[in-house]
Each structure stands twice: as structure tokens, then as C-alpha cells.
Amino acid sequence: MAALLEARGISKIYPGGTVANDGVNLIVQPGEVHAVVGENGAGKSTLMKILFGIEQPNAGELILDGKPVEFPNPKAAISAGIGMVFQHFSLVPSFSVYENVVMGSEPKSGIRFDRKRAIEEVRALSEKFRLFVDPMPSVASIPVGQQQRVEILKALYRDARILILDEPTAVLAPQEVEELFVAVRSLVAQGRTVIFIAHKLPEVLEISDSITVMRGGKTVGQVRSKDVTEHSLATMMVGREVALKVDRAPTDKSKVMLEVADVSVNKENGKPACHNVDFRLRAGEIVGLVGVEGNGQQELMEAIAGMRTAQSGSALLDGDDILPLPVLARREAGLANIPQDRIAEGLAVGAPLSENMAATRLSDPSFVRHGILDLKAMSRNAQALIDKFAIRAAGPQAAAGTLSGGNMQKVVVARELSEQPKVLLVSQPTRGVDLGATQFIWKTITEARDAGAAVLLSSADLSELMALSDRFLVFYHGEIVAALDNDAAVTPSQLGAYMLGLDRQSPEQIKAGSL
């Protein structure tokens, strides 16, 4: 069968010499789901931007329907039948679903916008491709899974026959992923072709027909999905054996280290983020906060860390309420925090590693002599942590911003764990981090738990939560709706039902599981 779309020898070099794509090849057959996988920095996003006309290659060519093509801009790609749905949506929240879908290509009656026809066309399109969404509500009022459908409908409304989906499952609950896959299969059954960019390998194997694997800006292989396993794919991506699993040792969980009682926190706009939250966190355990992003779990973490003011309640760390305390006093009480945004909140990217790794301990006598910072001691400390945490850096004086995302995250993890905290807050620990660094960070967090730390973990990656957590607290609309032990009886689908508000435990069950 002749290929529908090919990329031949695509290279892209950015100013400064960064090679994003180095002779990349891609062959996509018509009527298939073709996955493109690779670690962060492998070149996937750059290749997709070239296919969609956002970037221009320095070398190579694109072949569509057997003929060379050039896309100087996205409009040219759209005209050729290529659509792209980005991980971060580009919708107007205050507009209705149908207004977002037809915007820029509005049906007209004479010179006027034909609103009735627009609504009918969007409804018919959603039914045809099983992307069921009501055309009438504002985008701001519908769940994130339905917002994604609106983005797909936008592309289909412009008659996309090749649809590029960039990390489409990143923020979806398991049930929403299943619904998305039903829609993707419907698209293919009706003659569309889907290019699926993802990092969750079980999902890739479930939905795709063929897979292109990228590493270091190059294509390292193209395989049929039925011929590979999750393990073999991970090995292709990383170039070595990778085992993304952790073993949690038995621990003494008798001591309550953090007791959160009746805590309420607001969002930036003053509306409630979470309310009347109660739970206990014990030494030697990891408690995972489960929920679709935006349901209050992140604001709760920030309030405990001191990065956001709680409206009410208490958080007793080893018996003392830390909510009235400044951040430094909370840290001195035994709290450490790995924030969700390592660049904005976790590091001073322009400062050397020696300063970043001592930034939370500037009153420590180890680093201060007669009121003056001991730069040599700070450098020795950084070098020791670089060695212990296998951080790839030129040395203690290297600026944090020169490191890769995975190594920047290791710097934050190393600093926070070097203080041997009683309570460790961990938010999105492996977001934007490659498989090798993910494996190391998971192991490091688990070792802290095994050594007696109490770990509160928030992650948008349900597989990460299931791999690391001893217990789950599931959030929906700012409330704990389920509290469960992580055992063989708990499934992603069960957690997904709680995450989407389709089910909830009784107050007695929640209390028993969270306290």
C-alpha cells in the first residue's frame, strides 16, 4: 500500500546549534493510527510542528499522496487536509462549543453568520464521529475531556483527513481515555488517519497500528504495534533496559506525621479550590492525591507548603500547626517540598548548582562562617549531591538552567531529600522528564518513604500514582470523595469513576480510609 504521508530525511537545527531533528524518517499509511513515541527531547514535537507548517525543516522533504509538498504555515497544512490538536488547547472559554468549532470558517447566510446552520453542522459532525458534545454550552463550563473533543471537531470541521493528536491523554481520567479511543477508532473507520503522540506506552499499544520510535532527534525504528511489548518499546526509546516499577518495603506506619483538619483553600480568583479537607499522613507511607487537574489537590499541596494561604483549618506536623508559619519555619519543622514547576518554583535557573542546592539551608552553620556564605562548602555539598543523584552537569558551578529537564528535576529532588524531611510534598515529580530520570526519581522517593518519611504525592499521571502510592485520596470538586488502600482490588477504572464524580464513598468510608 502506498504511504499517505512521508517525512524523508527531515533535519531541523535551531539558532545556537541545537539539533532537534537529524535525518528523521516517518511513513504513515492511510486509515491507521500511527503513534510516535520517544523521550522528552527526542524530537517528536519538532517533527509534528514541521508536518503542520509551524516550523520549517533545514533539510529533507515531505511527501503527501506521493507528491512532494511544502507547508510554509499551518494554513497551508490545513488546506492539504492536516489538522493538529495540541496538548494545550486554544479555545475561547467564554464562547460556546459551536462558536469555537466554526470560528474563522463560519457558515454564512448572505453576509451574516448563519448561527442555526453552524449549530446543526457541529451537532451532525459530533454524532458522525462519535465525539458527542452539546454545541450550546460555553467551553468554560464543560469538562476537559469534552474540551478536547471540541478541538478535534475544529480540525474535522476543516475537513482534516490526517489528524495529529499531541499527548491527548495527558489530563484525562481512564473513562475519558476510553471514550477518546472510541472516537479515534470511529475516525479511522470513516477513512481518517491519526498520528498519535504519547508517552504512556500501554495506551500506545492499545490504540495504534504502527509506531515510530525516536531517540536523540533521530528515528531508531518503525514497528507494528502487535509485534512489540511495553518493555521492548521502552528499551528502544531509552537505548537500554528500563524497568518502570518500584518495590515498597514494609514499614511501620503507626506514627501520624501530618494531620490535616478542616482545611479550605481558594483559587486565585477567590473561588473555593478545596474545602473542609481532613486526612492523616503517616511515617513510612506515600499517600497519592488522585484527581483530574483543577479539582483542588494542587492548591491543597501549595497551602501546606506555604505557597498559598489557607482560608481555614490546621495542618499539624508532628503535633504542631504549621499553617500560621512562614515557609522557612515549616522547613525547620521537618517539611520539604518538590513543587510542580521546577523552573518557576523550584530553581533559580541562572544561579549555579552550588547555590540552588543550598538555597533552603542558608542559615545552616555548614554553609555560613561569621555571617558570610562559605562558597567552598556549598560547592562540596553540590558535588556530593551531583554524585549521589547521578546528575549530569559540568560541575557545581554550572547554571541550573543549562541542565536538561530530567537533571533539573534531580537537582530539586536532591536538595529536598538531603535534609531528611519528616514530611515530603511531591507535585508532578516526573512531568517533562525522560524514562531514565523517571525511574531514578521513583526509586528515590520510595527510598525516602522506606526510611520513614511521610510522602504526600500529587500527579496528573494515574499510572505514576498507582506505582508509588500506599493509599489514595480521590478529589472531585475540591472534596475527598474516596479514600482507598492501593491493593490489587483497586483498578484505574474504579479510580476514574471517583475522579469524574460518577461514584463516591459514604462519609464513613471516607473517614475510615483517610484518617
Side-chain angles (χ1 to χ4, degrees):
M1 183 186 298
L4 173 61
L5 177 66
E6 289 185 69
R8 296 178 180 172
I10 294 293
S11 293
K12 177 65 179 180
I13 304 173
Y14 288 102
T18 300
V19 179
N21 286 164
D22 184 6
V24 173
N25 297 309
L26 175 73
I27 301 174
V28 180
Q29 301 293 341
E32 73 167 358
V33 178
H34 188 102
V36 179
V37 301
E39 297 188 278
N40 292 289
K44 306 185 303 293
S45 295
T46 299
L47 178 61
M48 294 307 113
K49 289 176 181 177
I50 289 171
L51 294 180
F52 194 55
I54 296 173
E55 299 278 6
Q56 304 304 310
N58 297 108
E61 63 178 347
L62 300 179
I63 308 295
L64 182 64
D65 294 321
K67 300 175 183 178
V69 292
E70 292 183 1
F71 299 138
N73 51 53
K75 185 176 180 181
I78 292 169
S79 297
I82 298 176
M84 185 165 179
V85 176
F86 295 91
Q87 183 177 348
H88 303 289
F89 305 150
S90 56
L91 302 171
V92 181
S94 59
F95 281 19
S96 66
V97 167
Y98 78 86
E99 288 170 328
N100 271 281
V101 171
V102 305
M103 187 167 49
S105 301
E106 296 89 345
K108 300 286 179 65
S109 177
I111 61 171
R112 300 183 64 183
F113 173 37
D114 192 336
R115 193 172 302 274
K116 181 180 178 182
R117 183 176 148 203
I119 295 169
E120 291 172 350
E121 288 180 351
V122 171
R123 182 174 282 117
L125 198 65
S126 70
E127 292 173 355
K128 177 182 178 181
F129 291 105
R130 302 191 68 174
L131 290 159
F132 301 115
V133 58
D134 187 344
M136 304 307 294
S138 69
V139 160
S141 68
I142 62 176
V144 65
Q146 291 196 25
Q147 291 180 24
Q148 185 179 67
R149 296 181 194 181
V150 177
E151 285 280 17
I152 296 173
L153 286 171
K154 280 173 57 179
L156 293 172
Y157 184 77
R158 288 151 183 81
D159 204 25
R161 56 195 179 113
I162 301 173
L163 190 63
I164 302 170
L165 302 180
D166 182 20
E167 298 283 3
T169 66
V171 295
L172 302 183
Q175 282 84 347
E176 292 175 312
V177 173
E178 291 175 10
E179 292 170 0
L180 172 66
F181 284 1
V182 167
V184 168
R185 294 186 182 104
S186 177
L187 288 169
V188 171
Q190 298 184 60
R192 301 305 201 267
T193 299
V194 176
I195 301 176
F196 188 90
I197 316 304
H199 72 279
K200 298 179 181 179
L201 298 185
E203 294 174 359
V204 167
L205 292 172
E206 179 182 346
I207 193 60
S208 66
D209 301 295
S210 59
I211 305 168
T212 292
V213 183
M214 296 182 67
R215 185 172 73 240
K218 298 180 179 182
T219 304
V220 296
Q222 184 162 321
V223 296
R224 299 297 297 176
S225 303
K226 61 183 177 58
D227 297 331
V228 292
T229 64
E230 183 179 348
H231 179 263
S232 64
L233 265 184
T235 301
M236 287 179 70
M237 287 168 59
V238 180
R240 59 177 172 80
E241 291 286 321
V242 176
L244 277 182
K245 62 179 182 179
V246 291
D247 296 317
R248 297 189 301 275
T251 58
D252 179 4
K253 300 181 178 67
S254 60
K255 181 175 176 58
V256 174
M257 198 61 74
L258 180 70
E259 183 168 2
V260 172
D262 200 31
V263 169
S264 297
V265 186
N266 287 347
K267 300 178 182 178
E268 284 81 358
N269 60 12
K271 294 183 178 179
C274 61
H275 42 91
N276 308 120
V277 173
D278 299 288
F279 67 89
R280 289 175 182 163
L281 178 65
R282 292 173 172 81
E285 73 169 351
I286 299 174
V287 171
L289 304 185
V290 183
V292 175
E293 288 195 63
N295 278 274
Q297 62 272 39
Q298 189 55 45
E299 288 85 355
L300 175 66
M301 294 280 280
E302 292 171 0
I304 297 170
M307 300 167 65
R308 183 183 295 267
T309 302
Q311 306 305 305
S312 64
S314 62
L316 304 183
L317 197 164
D318 213 3
D320 296 319
D321 188 7
I322 61 171
L323 289 189
L325 302 179
V327 171
L328 184 59
R330 299 185 197 208
R331 299 188 70 90
E332 290 172 347
L335 183 74
N337 178 38
I338 299 172
Q340 66 171 340
D341 189 332
R342 56 182 167 268
I343 293 176
E345 301 166 342
L347 295 168
V349 293
L353 297 183
S354 59
E355 294 181 13
N356 273 284
M357 288 172 161
T360 58
R361 300 168 59 190
L362 294 181
S363 60
D364 189 328
S366 301
F367 301 137
V368 181
R369 285 189 177 185
H370 310 297
I372 300 174
L373 290 175
D374 187 338
L375 300 182
K376 289 184 178 180
M378 291 167 62
S379 186
R380 287 193 298 270
N381 171 70
Q383 187 61 59
L385 292 176
I386 288 170
D387 295 340
K388 180 179 179 181
F389 287 84
I391 298 167
R392 293 185 181 180
Q397 299 312 308
T402 64
L403 276 59
S404 69
N407 283 293
M408 282 196 278
Q409 187 73 347
K410 284 185 180 181
V411 171
V412 178
V413 172
R415 182 188 66 220
E416 298 303 308
L417 290 182
S418 67
E419 300 185 41
Q420 299 180 317
K422 296 176 181 177
V423 174
L424 176 63
L425 307 179
V426 184
S427 299
Q428 315 299 345
T430 59
R431 175 175 281 171
V433 169
D434 63 37
L435 281 176
T438 293
Q439 182 184 29
F440 185 91
I441 290 168
W442 282 13
K443 181 173 178 286
T444 303
I445 293 171
T446 304
E447 287 174 348
R449 169 253 190 213
D450 293 348
V455 182
L456 192 62
L457 170 66
S458 174
S459 175
D461 187 341
L462 188 55
S463 62
E464 179 166 71
L465 288 164
M466 296 195 74
L468 296 177
S469 303
D470 296 287
R471 289 191 291 135
F472 302 116
L473 301 177
V474 188
F475 278 68
Y476 179 70
H477 286 185
E479 291 183 297
I480 296 174
V481 296
L484 312 100
D485 289 332
N486 184 8
D487 55 36
V490 177
T491 65
S493 294
Q494 180 185 11
L495 291 175
Y498 293 126
M499 292 165 67
L500 295 173
L502 304 176
D503 195 6
R504 70 180 294 155
Q505 292 180 332
S506 68
E508 292 76 20
Q509 288 174 306
I510 294 171
K511 183 175 181 179
S514 58
L515 300 179

